[in-house]
Amino acid sequence: MGFMTELFARPRPSEEQRYRSAMVLLGAMSGAERADINIKPADFPRIARQMARR
């Protein structure tokens, strides 16, 4: 039974957590901030993956 507990209790990889944090950060930006750096919401996943790798 300990094996099943370990299976569900293991921590997430840090890259996945950084990806989620990057998506939240990008989603919290205002339209004016997005226009300043010239990104569109369709670019968010790509940008978040790049941020997570760093």
Side-chain angles (χ1 to χ4, degrees):
M1 197 64 165
F3 172 74
M4 292 298 284
T5 304
E6 289 292 321
L7 181 66
F8 295 112
R10 66 178 181 224
R12 291 182 177 159
S14 61
E15 187 172 333
E16 182 180 343
Q17 185 61 38
R18 289 192 307 258
Y19 175 80
R20 289 177 182 267
S21 298
M23 285 296 285
V24 168
L25 179 73
L26 291 168
M29 293 173 67
S30 69
E33 290 172 329
R34 290 183 201 145
D36 284 344
I37 57 176
N38 198 22
I39 62 170
K40 295 174 180 58
D43 298 330
F44 286 2
R46 178 183 53 82
I47 294 169
R49 280 193 301 274
Q50 289 174 350
M51 290 171 69
R53 277 190 238 128
R54 293 182 187 165

